[in-house]
Amino acid sequence: MPQVPQTFLDALAVRTWCGLALGALGRAREEIDAINVYPVADGDTGTNLYLTVESAVTAVEAVFAGHEAGTPGGQGVPSLADAVRAMAHGALIGARGNSGTILAQLLRGMAQVLAAEGEGPHTDAEGLRLALRHAADSARLAVAHPVEGTVLSVAAGAADAAGAAEGDCGAVARAAHRGACAALAATPGQLAVLERAGVVDAGGRGLVAVLAALVETLTGESPATPAGALRAVRPTDAPDGPDASGSPAATDSLDPEVCGDGPEGGGPAFEVIYLLEAEDTAVDRLRRRLDALGDSLVVVGGDGLWNVHVHVDDAGAAVEAGVEAGRPYRIRITHFGVDDVHARGGERPPRERVERAVVAVVPGEGLAGLYADAGATTVLARPGEPPASGELVEAVRRAHAREVVLLPNDADLRHTAAAAAEQARTEGIRVALIPTRSAVQGIAALAVHQPERRFDEDVVSMTSAAGATRYAEVTVAERQSWTMAGICQAGDVLGLVDGDVAVIGADITTTAETVLNRMLAAGGELVTLVLGDEAPEGVAERLQARVREAYLAVDTVVYRGGRQGALLLIGVE
């Protein structure tokens, strides 16, 4: 059935456009995936664009549903501004891959014009011209090192053609589509990797489909796309193409050096994407740091919410940079080649993997020995030097197991451990992250670990044991500070229970006893004490005596933790 044309831009036009674009990308997804050779020949550009627009569609439909539910008879319709903001936000939070992230910025750029406040609504042809121009410009600014022959060139071609067009919105959309097609056909001549592979740019091909959907929305007719814009470049057009027979190059047999990226082609090994809540100034610093770590850097968004995309060798460092800038979440790490050097590990045939292992972060040498004796692979976290995500991934590899249970043993390592677990999963390792906040919770989890059980059962049992263990530490304040227990001064002894300061004292042993009494007031069967090197003599004996005197049914175990930062760690199960 032909589409009923929308001669101007409104919320219904946005809804229709998103739906048609999703359908068009769905039909073209396999074709676009097949011609994906830049920046990495991983064959997922069509899928990433589809998933990005699918998220935009979901957000727009949610806005319509909200307005319909809030009006009598369910006939409410959102404003154009509400619809385009939802479209942009949905694309931002759902953006996948390099091209999906750039498409999200293109949609955001359009939304910034169409939803601009303080002016008349941009519902006419001039508004569409301005929106397409701003979209192309803002997308280019979002890319750290813009490259011609990519979706950026296609977006610029669309904006240039739209700017020169006369007539209504439909005429502007048609011009934008024609300009995009012409720019797409030119991409092999701008980017050598496309010419050698015999294809046009995959991201640009996706944008042509999105603009064709806009034409259909505004005119009721699906535009014909010139054959030259979509055809692969024949080797007769590109003398040094990979196939001299005159047939289009097959992307599944591309030489990695032709593709120019991924582990085999000399590019970074991982794609890292995450959403980030951060201030503009922090994002500026983040851009500089990530640009030094890798390539294909795209940071899109604004108003406190960003989507970060980068290709790096150290995925953990990329995530940690986000942690320093703000709050990263929805972290996705993709390994471009599972069979790279990380998996091969040298020329010798790899030894047989064990079925299951435990990897744990420990705060001192003494605990490292304890954990190692229990069969765990350990990562030492020295005071003030928390391990990087890459160190955790290396420990997971070193464990050489098909299944790994990861114990971070520190609440501040949750993002780092999550990034490491995700990176290890891309290498084919099954990883379960148990969010232990203290080494004493890790000891409890390790005590019930049974590798002969089913993986899920073992993880549930270890998680339950860790969760049933309350934890505390006794340390010395380095400076004056506000705490949950009041103001502390430098040199005060602090007793922290479950991560919060509960006791401020002057004597280490007395403070430790107060903390222990508070913890046992809620019950318990086993007390674990881990002594640091600087713990005073006699503190363990004093606490053990206190338990024997006041809590007859409670057992106590004592370990030497070494240089662990805290004077004393306490666990109560």
Side-chain angles (χ1 to χ4, degrees):
M1 180 180 295
Q3 176 66 37
V4 177
Q6 286 270 163
T7 57
F8 59 93
L9 289 167
D10 62 6
L12 288 172
V14 172
R15 184 188 206 180
T16 301
W17 177 32
C18 289
L20 290 173
L22 185 64
L25 288 171
R27 292 187 295 274
R29 174 161 52 176
E30 291 186 3
E31 171 201 337
I32 296 172
D33 282 345
I35 63 172
N36 172 203
V37 300
Y38 182 85
V40 175
D42 49 356
D44 64 357
T45 292
T47 300
N48 288 337
L49 290 171
Y50 179 88
L51 293 173
T52 302
V53 173
E54 184 179 49
S55 182
V57 168
T58 300
V60 171
E61 290 300 325
V63 166
F64 270 84
H67 277 76
E68 290 168 359
T71 57
Q75 299 299 313
V77 175
S79 66
L80 171 62
D82 287 340
V84 294
R85 287 189 186 118
M87 173 187 71
H89 180 75
L92 177 68
I93 64 174
R96 302 290 186 93
N98 190 69
S99 293
T101 307
I102 294 173
L103 178 61
Q105 186 63 20
L106 288 168
L107 296 179
R108 176 179 169 81
M110 292 188 70
Q112 287 175 321
V113 172
L114 298 175
E117 298 177 358
E119 305 174 16
H122 292 295
T123 61
D124 58 3
E126 181 59 21
L128 182 56
R129 292 188 194 95
L130 292 172
L132 290 167
R133 179 77 271 162
H134 185 64
D137 293 343
S138 64
R140 186 171 290 269
L141 289 173
V143 177
H145 301 284
V147 175
E148 297 305 328
T150 65
V151 64
L152 298 176
S153 302
V154 177
D160 291 343
E166 297 181 357
D168 61 9
C169 284
V172 172
R174 285 186 186 278
H177 178 258
R178 287 195 299 268
C181 289
L184 180 63
T187 56
Q190 296 173 299
L191 197 55
V193 65
L194 301 179
E195 187 175 32
R196 290 195 297 267
V199 296
V200 293
D201 179 66
R205 170 66 182 92
L207 181 58
V208 165
V210 171
L211 291 173
L214 180 61
V215 174
E216 187 174 356
T217 299
L218 296 172
T219 68
E221 299 175 356
S222 181
T225 300
L230 303 186
R231 70 174 176 85
V233 180
R234 306 277 179 169
T236 51
D237 301 322
D240 55 351
D243 183 356
S245 66
S247 60
T251 59
D252 60 357
S253 61
L254 291 171
D255 185 331
E257 293 185 1
V258 171
C259 302
D261 248 317
E264 300 292 340
F270 297 96
E271 177 185 62
V272 178
I273 304 175
Y274 50 80
L275 293 178
L276 176 70
E277 293 178 357
E279 299 296 327
D280 289 6
T281 53
V283 172
D284 289 340
R285 292 192 297 271
L286 176 66
R287 288 180 198 269
R288 292 191 293 272
R289 180 167 177 187
L290 292 180
D291 192 28
L293 287 175
D295 59 29
S296 297
L297 173 62
V298 186
V299 181
V300 304
D303 302 321
L305 180 63
W306 308 82
N307 190 305
V308 178
H309 169 281
V310 67
H311 294 173
V312 293
D313 281 320
D314 188 345
V319 175
E320 287 159 13
V323 173
E324 292 180 5
R327 187 177 79 89
Y329 60 103
R330 291 195 188 181
I331 300 167
R332 291 191 298 273
I333 299 173
T334 302
H335 194 284
F336 289 131
V338 174
D339 295 325
D340 70 349
V341 292
H342 296 314
R344 289 197 301 268
E347 297 180 359
R348 292 180 300 172
R351 71 183 190 276
E352 184 68 21
R353 288 184 180 275
V354 298
E355 187 61 31
R356 188 176 309 158
V358 176
V359 173
V361 179
V362 291
E365 295 88 345
L367 280 178
L370 174 67
Y371 273 76
D373 289 343
T377 299
T378 61
V379 178
L380 188 62
R382 294 181 174 83
E385 299 179 14
S389 179
E391 294 178 69
L392 301 188
V393 174
E394 183 55 38
V396 171
R397 294 181 185 133
R398 195 168 69 244
H400 206 66
R402 296 182 180 88
E403 301 169 340
V404 170
V405 180
L406 180 57
L407 306 175
N409 292 339
D410 187 338
D412 291 337
L413 288 178
R414 60 190 185 279
H415 293 304
T416 302
E422 188 65 29
Q423 183 167 331
R425 290 180 190 121
T426 67
E427 299 178 17
I429 304 170
R430 189 180 186 188
V431 181
L433 171 61
I434 297 179
T436 48
R437 295 175 171 83
S438 170
V440 292
Q441 288 189 323
I443 290 171
L446 200 56
V448 300
H449 169 53
Q450 295 183 20
E452 67 274 8
R453 283 189 297 210
R454 290 178 56 249
F455 185 64
D456 292 340
E457 292 176 357
D458 198 27
V459 170
V460 168
S461 177
M462 295 176 72
T463 302
S464 297
T469 302
R470 298 189 301 282
Y471 63 97
E473 68 177 77
V474 177
T475 188
V476 176
E478 296 180 354
R479 57 185 176 276
Q480 184 185 62
S481 180
W482 289 88
T483 75
M484 297 287 289
I487 301 176
C488 70
Q489 305 295 329
D492 283 349
V493 180
L494 305 180
L496 290 81
V497 178
D498 293 335
D500 292 322
V501 176
V503 180
I504 301 175
D507 178 74
I508 294 171
T509 302
T510 302
T511 302
E513 188 172 345
T514 302
V515 169
L516 182 58
N517 285 332
R518 288 197 181 190
M519 297 177 74
L520 286 173
E525 299 175 354
L526 176 66
V527 172
T528 300
L529 303 176
V530 183
L531 302 176
D533 278 349
E534 297 181 5
E537 289 292 331
V539 64
E541 290 78 4
R542 170 79 174 270
L543 295 177
Q544 286 177 300
R546 175 59 184 165
V547 171
R548 285 194 300 268
E549 293 168 2
Y551 308 98
L552 298 179
V554 178
D555 294 324
T556 305
V557 294
V558 181
Y559 301 109
R560 294 283 175 179
R563 292 176 295 172
Q564 62 183 22
L567 298 171
L568 175 68
L569 300 177
I570 305 174
V572 174
E573 301 176 48

